[in-house]
Amino acid sequence: MIRNHLQKINRLGILRRLTNISPAFFAAFMVLLITSIALFTPPYIGMADNGDYFRILYGNGVYFNVPDYTSQYFGYFIPKYGIFQYFNENNTVVVSSQSIFIQAAVWLNKLFIDALVFDVRVQAAIYTCLYTIAVYLLVESITWKTPRKYGYPIAILAIFLFGDTAYTAYFNSFYGESVAFIMMIFLLASGLLLYRNRYNDYVMLTVFTLSGILLTTSKQQNAPVGVIVAFIGIMLIFIRKGKTFRILTASSLACLLLAGVGTYAFIPKEFVNINKYHAMTRGILMESKDPEAALKPFGIDPQYAILDKSVYFESNTTVDLDSEILEKSFYSHYGFGSIVKYYITNPGQAGQMLDLAAKSAFIIRPPAMGSYEKDVGKPWGAQTNFFSEYSELKKHLTPRTFGFIVIWISLVMGLYLPSFISALRSRNMRKAARFPLIVMLILIGLSGIVVSFIGAGDADLAKHVFLFTAAFDLVTFLLVADAIRRRLIQGDQD
């Protein structure tokens, strides 16, 4: 019976058409379908505000218009906001590439939906379109010229990972992780497409540069990303011998470097102090057996040990955290460099912080933020389990220790190193590009961990180490995909 139905369908040419769909198109289409169901059909899935939205909203002409908005912090996803109708006196609190997408969404919202009320799902639609393209390019970069018997299992793996709502729920929010993840995929995909010599090199170089800049500037803690991509990207200069390409590549890398430096330079003083406060109270003091002694290397009065484990946003504090006294006797005594020096001289404490960061480094969706609107009737803070199998398996099965991260990095680099050495020996710089791209992603992920605990202690680690969890998934996906298509050790020959 089934065979007869299949024969009938085949006579209509449907099976033939289905088998002509590339693995990349199949993966992208299914991710688009799953994401659209999750974000744009009831009950709508998004992410609750943890109190950070104000940093990006008001400067972009959007404001909170729900009367009980603050009471829904962490608990419920709120999809609609007001649009300023008159002069907006609010300056942008943070400089972020995220503003580009918010402004585009507000413009489309005014043009097609409503000039007074902004629906965050318009922004989600923009992200979803970009995400679909990014997934297509990534899968295409791996499955191009690969037999379908290998290509389709890779496509299914991509759907399982990239369709997960732990990632796509960010699109219905104002968190910078949306831009960061999409641009990380574009960055890896364009790099791999240059490595495979697929599509026009100049177009892929443009995608590589723009995605790197947008990733770097999406969040202030991503400032090191521009520096990492710029230095690792030097290898791209040598994949072609033409002078024009090399000059353009070098110029692009210079722009990436400047983006990293600029992102760091434009961090507002207000946030510098908040992060510095947490770096000390939720980092150095928190993990020290003798908080008073821990302050001595910084020349800080031991009495400030009373701030141990405190949070900047607490309503009742023992001292005014914005006072001039605290500025002179506390904040001015330490910075990023002195904190790094402290951890180097106290490796045991550094190890404790790395393990603490690793506990959150494999959780894609922070457990604190709810997924549903209040009217849906779900409990406060409830999170969706729709198409979340990958993120749940990752959270429960991955050993969440920094030791595991070291083992994972060693395994990945050990497996990819032989093809890199072989390409260097044959002087084929294009085929040598894959290994540096993987190293680049690993360093980006590690920067997320290191910058997080050095720059802000354990404050909001679940979101601050997002770069690592994304880098881990992308590198692991590439590792498994290359193993499936039998190109892990020897690399691509086309």
Side-chain angles (χ1 to χ4, degrees):
M1 176 73 101
I2 296 175
R3 185 177 179 182
N4 290 335
H5 282 305
L6 288 175
Q7 288 175 343
K8 185 182 293 184
I9 292 172
N10 196 37
R11 281 198 296 270
L12 294 173
I14 295 175
L15 285 182
R16 181 168 52 82
R17 292 191 186 97
L18 286 175
T19 55
N20 285 333
I21 294 175
S22 71
F25 183 88
F26 175 65
F29 176 78
M30 290 305 297
V31 168
L32 173 63
L33 180 62
I34 294 164
T35 303
S36 298
I37 293 171
L39 304 187
F40 308 118
T41 61
Y44 304 107
I45 293 169
M47 291 186 73
D49 184 1
N50 69 348
D52 283 348
Y53 282 12
F54 81 94
R55 298 181 181 184
I56 196 72
L57 280 192
Y58 279 82
N60 284 295
V62 182
Y63 65 93
F64 308 118
N65 64 347
V66 176
D68 61 341
Y69 187 90
T70 56
S71 68
Q72 298 187 48
Y73 277 161
F74 293 99
Y76 297 105
F77 157 56
I78 298 176
K80 295 186 177 180
Y81 301 80
I83 300 174
F84 281 110
Q85 300 301 303
Y86 304 103
F87 174 72
N88 182 9
E89 62 183 7
N90 299 280
N91 294 320
T92 303
V93 180
V94 294
V95 178
S96 169
S97 58
Q98 188 185 354
S99 294
I100 298 171
F101 301 98
I102 295 175
Q103 290 284 351
V106 170
W107 179 77
L108 288 173
N109 193 99
K110 288 180 178 179
L111 189 63
F112 295 108
I113 301 177
D114 196 320
L116 301 177
V117 179
F118 175 66
D119 194 323
V120 71
R121 286 165 293 193
V122 177
Q123 174 194 263
I126 295 174
Y127 285 147
T128 300
C129 291
L130 289 172
Y131 191 57
T132 303
I133 297 169
V135 170
Y136 174 85
L137 290 177
L138 180 58
V139 178
E140 177 69 5
S141 72
I142 299 170
T143 60
W144 181 55
K145 290 188 176 180
T146 298
R148 296 292 176 92
K149 65 179 180 179
Y150 301 138
Y152 275 98
I154 293 171
I156 292 169
L157 179 65
I159 297 165
F160 182 59
L161 195 163
F162 299 112
D164 198 294
T165 53
Y167 276 126
T168 56
Y170 275 107
F171 300 171
N172 264 339
S173 79
F174 292 104
Y175 297 118
E177 282 74 10
S178 300
V179 178
F181 188 51
I182 293 170
M183 294 308 146
M184 281 185 76
I185 299 174
F186 271 119
L187 187 69
L188 176 60
S190 56
L192 289 174
L193 288 165
L194 283 166
Y195 153 71
R196 297 290 305 277
N197 200 13
R198 172 71 164 145
Y199 301 130
N200 183 277
D201 282 347
Y202 291 96
V203 174
M204 290 302 102
L205 177 62
T206 302
V207 174
F208 184 87
T209 305
L210 289 178
S211 58
I213 291 173
L214 291 172
L215 168 60
T216 302
T217 56
S218 62
K219 294 187 71 174
Q220 290 148 347
Q221 75 173 75
N222 293 354
V225 172
V227 179
I228 293 169
V229 177
F231 279 100
I232 299 295
I234 290 174
M235 54 85 188
L236 293 177
I237 295 174
F238 305 102
I239 67 173
R240 287 180 63 144
K241 294 180 180 180
K243 186 177 179 180
T244 302
F245 181 81
R246 291 189 172 186
I247 291 173
L248 287 174
T249 304
S251 301
S252 299
L253 298 178
C255 290
L256 283 161
L257 183 62
L258 289 174
V261 174
T263 299
Y264 181 79
F266 283 111
I267 299 176
K269 181 67 179 297
E270 174 192 354
F271 297 138
V272 170
N273 282 352
I274 292 173
N275 291 335
K276 286 180 69 174
Y277 184 83
H278 288 147
M280 183 61 69
T281 65
R282 302 296 307 178
I284 289 174
L285 295 180
M286 184 179 73
E287 294 298 332
S288 175
K289 295 179 181 178
D290 187 349
E292 292 183 358
L295 292 172
K296 288 183 179 180
F298 301 97
I300 299 174
D301 193 316
Q303 68 175 325
Y304 286 104
I306 196 173
L307 298 175
D308 181 20
K309 298 183 180 67
S310 62
V311 177
Y312 188 92
F313 301 105
E314 289 176 352
S315 55
N316 297 314
T317 57
T318 54
V319 63
D320 182 1
L321 304 184
D322 294 316
S323 66
E324 189 175 339
I325 294 175
L326 206 66
E327 181 68 40
K328 290 182 178 180
S329 57
F330 191 71
Y331 295 124
S332 63
H333 284 256
Y334 65 99
F336 193 86
S338 58
I339 293 175
V340 170
K341 181 181 177 181
Y342 176 87
Y343 281 120
I344 291 174
T345 55
N346 294 270
Q349 208 169 324
Q352 288 177 310
M353 289 302 296
L354 286 170
D355 273 334
L356 187 62
K359 288 181 180 178
S360 300
F362 298 96
I363 299 175
I364 303 171
R365 176 170 37 216
M369 278 83 90
S371 302
Y372 296 100
E373 295 176 78
K374 188 176 182 179
D375 294 342
V376 172
K378 297 283 186 178
W380 189 93
Q383 293 188 331
T384 181
N385 57 8
F386 173 71
F387 214 88
S388 299
E389 288 75 16
Y390 173 75
S391 55
E392 288 300 310
L393 285 172
K394 181 181 179 183
K395 180 171 66 175
H396 294 296
L397 298 182
T398 309
R400 289 186 280 163
T401 66
F402 193 74
F404 172 73
I405 292 175
V406 172
I407 294 171
W408 172 76
I409 292 173
S410 301
L411 175 65
V412 170
M413 295 184 72
L415 290 170
Y416 279 107
L417 190 58
S419 64
F420 175 67
I421 294 172
S422 176
L424 288 180
R425 285 176 176 170
S426 63
R427 296 184 179 181
N428 190 333
M429 297 307 296
R430 189 182 289 273
K431 294 310 172 192
R434 183 176 65 167
F435 181 73
L437 287 170
I438 293 166
V439 172
M440 177 189 73
L441 273 187
I442 291 173
L443 290 177
I444 289 173
L446 289 177
S447 75
I449 289 179
V450 174
V451 169
S452 294
F453 81 80
I454 290 178
D458 76 336
D460 202 14
L461 266 179
K463 280 178 79 278
H464 286 170
V465 295
F466 179 85
L467 276 184
F468 177 81
T469 195
F472 176 87
D473 286 347
L474 289 173
V475 172
T476 302
F477 169 70
L478 179 60
L479 178 75
V480 175
D482 282 340
I484 290 173
R485 68 192 189 98
R486 301 180 182 182
R487 286 291 181 269
L488 185 59
I489 304 298
Q490 71 271 38
D492 292 275
Q493 306 302 317
D494 48 73

